[in-house]
Amino acid sequence: DGGITQSPKYLFRKEGQNVTLSCEQNLNHDAMYWYRQDPGQGLRLIYYSQIVNDFQKGDIAEGYSVSREKKESFPLTVTSAQKNPTAFYLCASSMGGQGSYEQYFGPGTRLTVT
Amino acid sequence: GNSVTQMEGPVTLSEEAFLTINCTYTATGYPSLFWYVQYPGEGLQLLLKATKADDKGSNKGFEATYRKETTSFHLEKGSVQVSDSAVYFCALKDAGGTSYGKLTFGQGTILTVHP
């Protein structure tokens, strides 16, 4: 079955540590996205990538980094510079270009930093 | 910039009641509009979409009509079920420009349906 996988589902880290969240898709989509979701709020875009080896900052990129070395993979690193990293992180993908293509979402990773 | 405003929740209904969740937007040009649903602890699933004015998206008994004159995309269902309990997000996608592909989300509306 085609889809998006995120691992792990729950992640716990100590303050000051970097942590990398995995996102893999087998939908052959060109574009991939990372969102952050906080309780009672909508989704906020962290980074997005329209094509391999290229990515753009979203609305809240500070304290995060990404890479896009393969079409299928778009890992997100939450660095120690992110002041409030505890949140639910969602990865998504879509066909590229300017069409009205919907985004498909993974199941999410809940990160807790103490 | 683009923005999406949803009616504040939570919304609590009895089974078989009529549902409306209001959504209005601000955008330049002709964006595409979406409704996503999120069940507890899960990612978002596309519920329906509309890509041009007067289009009606529909799925699983839910409907929404793209109204450009009122910049709205209200979600409706004639008879809700307990299994419809979830968080509903309205979103828009730019028609083009430097931010193409990016979705702008509303804050979400929590729906709880009681038997």
Side-chain angles (χ1 to χ4, degrees), chain A residues 9 33 35 37 40-43 45 48 50 59 88 90 94 96-108 110, chain B residues 32 34 36 38 41-46 49 51 87 89 93-103 105-108:
Chain A
K9 190 167 179 64
Y33 310 83
Y35 293 92
Q37 185 178 22
Q41 297 189 33
L43 278 66
L45 183 66
Y48 64 102
Q50 299 290 342
D59 300 319
F88 189 49
L90 289 160
S94 72
Q98 298 189 5
S100 59
Y101 307 121
E102 60 265 33
Q103 291 182 15
Y104 294 81
F105 284 80
R110 188 167 298 280
Chain B
S32 297
F34 304 85
Y36 282 86
Q38 184 180 34
E42 298 183 8
L44 276 67
Q45 302 174 25
L46 179 69
K49 73 176 187 180
T51 59
V87 183
F89 291 95
K93 178 172 180 280
D94 257 343
T98 57
S99 62
Y100 71 87
K102 174 184 171 183
L103 285 176
F105 286 88
Q107 73 273 30

Coordinates of all heavy atoms in Angstrom, one line a residue, chain A residues 9 33 35 37 40-43 45 48 50 59 88 90 94 96-108 110, chain B residues 32 34 36 38 41-46 49 51 87 89 93-103 105-108:
Chain A
K9 N 6.4 6.8 16.7 CA 5.2 7.4 17.0 C 5.3 8.3 18.2 O 4.7 9.4 18.3 CB 4.1 6.4 17.2 CG 2.7 7.0 17.3 CD 1.6 6.0 17.3 CE 0.2 6.6 17.4 NZ -0.1 7.5 16.2
Y33 N 6.5 18.0 3.1 CA 6.3 19.1 4.0 C 6.4 18.6 5.4 O 6.1 17.5 5.7 CB 4.9 19.7 3.8 CG 4.5 20.0 2.4 CD1 4.0 19.0 1.6 CD2 4.6 21.3 1.9 CE1 3.7 19.3 0.3 CE2 4.2 21.6 0.6 CZ 3.8 20.6 -0.2 OH 3.4 20.9 -1.5
Y35 N 5.0 19.9 9.3 CA 4.2 20.8 10.1 C 4.4 20.5 11.6 O 4.6 19.3 12.0 CB 2.7 20.6 9.7 CG 2.3 21.0 8.3 CD1 2.4 20.0 7.3 CD2 1.9 22.2 8.1 CE1 2.0 20.4 6.0 CE2 1.5 22.6 6.8 CZ 1.6 21.7 5.8 OH 1.2 22.0 4.5
Q37 N 2.1 20.8 15.2 CA 0.7 21.0 15.7 C 0.8 21.1 17.2 O 1.3 20.2 17.9 CB -0.2 19.9 15.3 CG -1.6 20.1 15.7 CD -2.6 19.0 15.3 OE1 -2.1 17.9 15.0 NE2 -3.8 19.3 15.2
G40 N -5.0 22.8 20.4 CA -5.9 23.8 20.1 C -5.5 24.8 19.0 O -6.1 25.8 18.8
Q41 N -4.4 24.4 18.3 CA -4.0 25.3 17.2 C -4.0 24.5 15.9 O -4.0 23.3 15.9 CB -2.6 25.8 17.5 CG -2.5 26.7 18.7 CD -1.1 27.3 18.8 OE1 -0.5 27.6 17.8 NE2 -0.6 27.5 20.0
G42 N -4.0 25.3 14.8 CA -3.9 24.6 13.5 C -2.5 24.2 13.3 O -1.6 24.2 14.2
L43 N -2.2 23.8 12.0 CA -0.9 23.3 11.7 C 0.0 24.5 11.2 O -0.5 25.3 10.5 CB -1.0 22.3 10.6 CG -1.3 20.8 11.0 CD1 -2.7 20.7 11.6 CD2 -1.1 19.9 9.8
L45 N 3.6 25.5 9.2 CA 4.6 24.9 8.3 C 6.0 25.2 8.8 O 6.4 26.4 9.0 CB 4.4 25.5 6.9 CG 5.3 24.9 5.8 CD1 5.0 23.5 5.6 CD2 5.0 25.7 4.5
Y48 N 9.5 23.0 3.7 CA 8.9 22.2 2.6 C 10.0 22.0 1.5 O 10.9 22.8 1.4 CB 7.6 22.8 2.1 CG 7.7 24.2 1.5 CD1 7.7 24.3 0.1 CD2 7.7 25.3 2.3 CE1 7.8 25.6 -0.5 CE2 7.8 26.6 1.7 CZ 7.8 26.7 0.3 OH 7.9 27.9 -0.2
Q50 N 10.2 21.0 -2.7 CA 9.5 20.8 -3.9 C 10.2 19.7 -4.8 O 9.6 19.2 -5.7 CB 9.4 22.1 -4.7 CG 8.6 23.2 -4.0 CD 7.1 22.8 -3.9 OE1 6.6 22.0 -4.6 NE2 6.4 23.5 -3.0
D59 N 7.0 28.9 7.9 CA 6.7 30.0 8.8 C 7.4 30.0 10.1 O 7.6 31.0 10.8 CB 5.2 30.0 9.1 CG 4.4 30.2 7.8 OD1 4.8 31.0 6.9 OD2 3.3 29.5 7.7
F88 N 3.4 17.9 18.4 CA 3.0 16.8 17.5 C 3.5 17.2 16.1 O 3.1 18.3 15.6 CB 1.5 16.6 17.5 CG 1.0 15.3 16.8 CD1 1.6 14.1 17.0 CD2 0.0 15.4 16.0 CE1 1.1 13.0 16.4 CE2 -0.5 14.3 15.3 CZ 0.1 13.0 15.5
L90 N 3.9 16.5 12.0 CA 3.3 15.8 10.9 C 4.0 16.1 9.6 O 4.4 17.2 9.3 CB 1.8 16.4 10.8 CG 0.9 15.9 11.8 CD1 -0.4 16.8 11.9 CD2 0.4 14.5 11.6
S94 N 2.9 15.7 -1.6 CA 1.9 15.9 -2.6 C 2.6 15.9 -4.0 O 3.9 16.0 -4.0 CB 1.2 17.3 -2.4 OG 2.1 18.4 -2.7
G96 N 4.0 17.6 -7.3 CA 4.6 18.9 -7.4 C 3.8 19.7 -8.4 O 2.8 19.3 -9.0
G97 N 4.3 21.0 -8.6 CA 3.7 21.9 -9.5 C 2.6 22.7 -8.9 O 2.4 22.7 -7.7
Q98 N 1.9 23.4 -9.8 CA 1.0 24.4 -9.3 C -0.5 23.9 -9.4 O -1.4 24.7 -9.3 CB 1.1 25.7 -10.1 CG 2.5 26.3 -9.9 CD 2.6 27.7 -10.5 OE1 1.6 28.3 -11.0 NE2 3.7 28.3 -10.5
G99 N -0.7 22.7 -9.5 CA -2.0 22.1 -9.6 C -2.7 22.1 -8.2 O -2.0 22.4 -7.2
S100 N -4.0 21.8 -8.2 CA -4.7 21.8 -6.9 C -4.5 20.5 -6.2 O -5.5 19.9 -5.7 CB -6.2 22.1 -7.2 OG -6.7 21.1 -8.1
Y101 N -3.3 20.0 -6.1 CA -3.1 18.7 -5.5 C -3.2 18.7 -4.0 O -2.6 19.6 -3.3 CB -1.7 18.2 -5.9 CG -1.4 18.3 -7.4 CD1 -0.4 19.0 -8.0 CD2 -2.3 17.5 -8.3 CE1 -0.2 19.1 -9.3 CE2 -2.0 17.6 -9.6 CZ -1.0 18.3 -10.2 OH -0.8 18.4 -11.5
E102 N -3.9 17.8 -3.5 CA -4.0 17.7 -2.0 C -2.7 17.1 -1.4 O -1.9 16.5 -2.1 CB -5.2 16.9 -1.6 CG -5.1 15.4 -2.1 CD -5.9 15.3 -3.4 OE1 -5.9 16.2 -4.2 OE2 -6.5 14.2 -3.6
Q103 N -2.5 17.4 -0.1 CA -1.4 16.8 0.6 C -1.9 15.6 1.3 O -3.0 15.5 1.9 CB -0.8 17.8 1.6 CG -0.1 19.0 0.9 CD 0.5 20.0 1.8 OE1 0.7 19.7 3.0 NE2 0.9 21.1 1.3
Y104 N -1.0 14.6 1.4 CA -1.3 13.3 2.1 C -0.4 13.4 3.4 O 0.8 13.7 3.3 CB -1.0 12.1 1.3 CG -1.9 12.0 0.1 CD1 -1.6 12.7 -1.1 CD2 -2.9 11.1 0.1 CE1 -2.5 12.6 -2.2 CE2 -3.8 11.0 -1.0 CZ -3.5 11.7 -2.1 OH -4.4 11.6 -3.2
F105 N -1.0 13.0 4.5 CA -0.3 13.1 5.7 C 0.1 11.8 6.3 O -0.6 10.8 6.1 CB -1.2 13.9 6.8 CG -1.2 15.3 6.5 CD1 -2.1 15.9 5.6 CD2 -0.4 16.2 7.3 CE1 -2.1 17.2 5.4 CE2 -0.5 17.6 7.1 CZ -1.3 18.1 6.1
G106 N 1.2 11.8 7.0 CA 1.6 10.6 7.8 C 0.9 10.6 9.2 O 0.1 11.5 9.5
P107 N 1.1 9.6 10.0 CA 0.4 9.4 11.2 C 0.9 10.3 12.3 O 0.3 10.5 13.4 CB 0.6 8.0 11.6 CG 1.9 7.6 10.9 CD 2.0 8.4 9.7
G108 N 2.1 11.0 12.1 CA 2.6 11.9 13.1 C 3.6 11.3 14.1 O 3.6 10.1 14.4
R110 N 4.9 12.2 18.1 CA 4.7 13.1 19.2 C 6.0 13.2 20.0 O 6.5 12.2 20.5 CB 3.6 12.6 20.2 CG 3.3 13.6 21.3 CD 2.0 13.2 22.0 NE 0.8 13.2 21.1 CZ 0.2 14.3 20.8 NH1 0.6 15.5 21.2 NH2 -0.9 14.3 20.0
Chain B
S32 N -7.3 26.9 -4.1 CA -8.1 25.7 -3.9 C -8.4 25.5 -2.4 O -7.6 26.0 -1.6 CB -7.3 24.4 -4.3 OG -7.0 24.5 -5.7
F34 N -9.9 23.1 0.9 CA -9.9 21.7 1.4 C -10.5 21.7 2.8 O -10.4 22.6 3.6 CB -8.5 21.2 1.5 CG -7.7 21.2 0.3 CD1 -7.0 22.4 -0.1 CD2 -7.6 20.1 -0.6 CE1 -6.2 22.5 -1.2 CE2 -6.8 20.2 -1.7 CZ -6.1 21.4 -2.1
Y36 N -10.0 18.9 5.9 CA -9.3 17.7 6.4 C -9.9 17.3 7.8 O -10.4 18.2 8.5 CB -7.8 18.0 6.7 CG -6.9 18.0 5.4 CD1 -6.8 19.1 4.6 CD2 -6.3 16.8 5.0 CE1 -6.0 19.1 3.5 CE2 -5.5 16.8 3.9 CZ -5.4 18.0 3.1 OH -4.6 18.0 2.0
Q38 N -9.1 15.0 11.4 CA -8.1 14.3 12.2 C -8.7 13.6 13.4 O -9.4 14.2 14.2 CB -7.1 15.4 12.8 CG -5.9 14.8 13.5 CD -5.0 15.8 14.1 OE1 -5.4 16.9 14.4 NE2 -3.7 15.5 14.1
G41 N -5.0 11.2 17.9 CA -3.7 10.6 17.8 C -3.3 10.3 16.4 O -2.2 9.6 16.3
E42 N -4.0 10.7 15.4 CA -3.6 10.4 14.1 C -3.2 11.6 13.2 O -3.4 12.7 13.7 CB -4.8 9.6 13.4 CG -5.2 8.3 14.1 CD -6.3 7.6 13.3 OE1 -6.7 8.1 12.2 OE2 -6.8 6.6 13.9
G43 N -2.8 11.3 12.0 CA -2.5 12.4 11.1 C -3.8 12.9 10.4 O -4.9 12.4 10.8
L44 N -3.7 13.8 9.5 CA -4.9 14.4 8.8 C -5.2 13.6 7.6 O -4.4 13.1 6.9 CB -4.6 15.8 8.4 CG -4.8 16.9 9.4 CD1 -3.8 16.8 10.6 CD2 -4.7 18.3 8.8
Q45 N -6.5 13.5 7.4 CA -7.0 12.8 6.2 C -7.9 13.8 5.4 O -8.6 14.6 5.9 CB -8.0 11.6 6.5 CG -7.3 10.6 7.4 CD -8.4 9.5 7.8 OE1 -9.4 9.3 7.1 NE2 -8.1 8.9 8.9
L46 N -7.7 13.8 4.1 CA -8.5 14.7 3.2 C -9.9 14.2 3.2 O -10.2 13.1 3.0 CB -8.0 14.7 1.8 CG -8.8 15.5 0.8 CD1 -8.6 17.0 1.1 CD2 -8.3 15.2 -0.6
K49 N -12.6 18.5 -1.3 CA -11.9 19.6 -1.8 C -12.7 20.3 -2.9 O -13.6 19.6 -3.5 CB -10.5 19.3 -2.3 CG -10.5 18.5 -3.6 CD -9.0 18.3 -4.1 CE -9.0 17.7 -5.5 NZ -7.6 17.5 -6.0
T51 N -11.9 23.3 -6.2 CA -10.8 24.0 -6.8 C -11.2 25.3 -7.5 O -10.3 26.0 -7.9 CB -10.1 23.1 -7.9 OG1 -11.1 22.7 -8.8 CG2 -9.6 21.8 -7.2
V87 N -11.4 16.2 14.9 CA -11.1 17.6 14.7 C -11.1 17.9 13.1 O -10.6 17.1 12.4 CB -9.7 18.0 15.2 CG1 -9.5 19.5 15.0 CG2 -9.6 17.6 16.7
F89 N -10.4 20.5 10.0 CA -9.5 21.7 9.6 C -9.9 22.1 8.2 O -10.0 21.3 7.2 CB -8.1 21.3 9.5 CG -7.4 21.0 10.9 CD1 -7.4 19.7 11.4 CD2 -6.9 22.1 11.6 CE1 -6.8 19.5 12.6 CE2 -6.4 21.8 12.9 CZ -6.3 20.5 13.4
K93 N -5.0 26.4 -0.5 CA -3.7 26.3 -1.2 C -3.7 27.4 -2.3 O -4.5 27.5 -3.1 CB -3.6 24.9 -1.9 CG -2.4 24.7 -2.7 CD -2.4 23.2 -3.1 CE -1.1 22.9 -3.9 NZ -1.2 23.3 -5.3
D94 N -2.5 28.1 -2.3 CA -2.3 29.2 -3.2 C -2.4 28.6 -4.6 O -2.0 27.5 -4.9 CB -0.9 29.8 -3.0 CG -1.0 31.1 -2.3 OD1 -2.0 31.7 -2.3 OD2 0.1 31.5 -1.8
A95 N -2.9 29.5 -5.5 CA -3.0 29.1 -6.9 C -1.6 29.1 -7.6 O -1.4 28.5 -8.6 CB -4.0 30.0 -7.7
G96 N -0.7 29.9 -7.0 CA 0.6 29.9 -7.7 C 1.5 30.8 -6.9 O 1.3 31.0 -5.7
G97 N 2.5 31.4 -7.5 CA 3.4 32.3 -6.8 C 4.5 31.5 -6.2 O 4.7 30.3 -6.3
T98 N 5.3 32.2 -5.4 CA 6.5 31.6 -4.7 C 6.1 30.6 -3.7 O 7.0 29.8 -3.3 CB 7.4 32.7 -4.1 OG1 6.6 33.4 -3.2 CG2 7.9 33.6 -5.2
S99 N 4.9 30.6 -3.2 CA 4.5 29.7 -2.1 C 3.7 28.6 -2.6 O 2.9 28.0 -1.8 CB 3.8 30.4 -1.0 OG 2.6 31.0 -1.4
Y100 N 3.7 28.3 -3.9 CA 2.8 27.3 -4.4 C 3.1 25.9 -3.7 O 4.2 25.6 -3.5 CB 2.9 27.2 -5.9 CG 4.1 26.6 -6.5 CD1 4.2 25.2 -6.7 CD2 5.2 27.3 -6.9 CE1 5.4 24.6 -7.2 CE2 6.3 26.8 -7.4 CZ 6.4 25.4 -7.6 OH 7.5 24.9 -8.1
G101 N 2.0 25.2 -3.5 CA 2.1 23.9 -2.8 C 1.8 24.0 -1.3 O 1.4 23.1 -0.7
K102 N 2.0 25.2 -0.8 CA 1.9 25.4 0.7 C 0.4 25.5 1.0 O -0.4 26.1 0.4 CB 2.6 26.7 1.1 CG 2.4 27.1 2.5 CD 3.0 28.4 2.8 CE 2.7 28.9 4.2 NZ 3.2 30.3 4.4
L103 N 0.0 24.8 2.1 CA -1.4 24.9 2.7 C -1.4 25.9 3.8 O -0.5 25.8 4.7 CB -1.9 23.5 3.1 CG -2.3 22.5 2.1 CD1 -2.6 21.2 2.8 CD2 -3.4 23.0 1.3
F105 N -3.8 26.6 7.1 CA -4.8 25.9 7.8 C -5.5 26.9 8.8 O -5.0 27.8 9.3 CB -4.2 24.8 8.7 CG -3.8 23.6 7.9 CD1 -2.5 23.5 7.4 CD2 -4.7 22.5 7.7 CE1 -2.2 22.4 6.6 CE2 -4.3 21.4 7.0 CZ -3.0 21.4 6.5
G106 N -6.8 26.6 9.0 CA -7.5 27.2 10.1 C -7.1 26.5 11.4 O -6.3 25.6 11.4
Q107 N -7.7 27.0 12.5 CA -7.2 26.5 13.8 C -7.8 25.2 14.2 O -7.4 24.6 15.2 CB -7.5 27.6 14.9 CG -8.9 27.7 15.3 CD -9.7 28.7 14.4 OE1 -9.4 28.9 13.3 NE2 -10.7 29.3 15.0
G108 N -8.8 24.7 13.4 CA -9.4 23.4 13.7 C -10.6 23.6 14.6 O -10.7 24.5 15.4

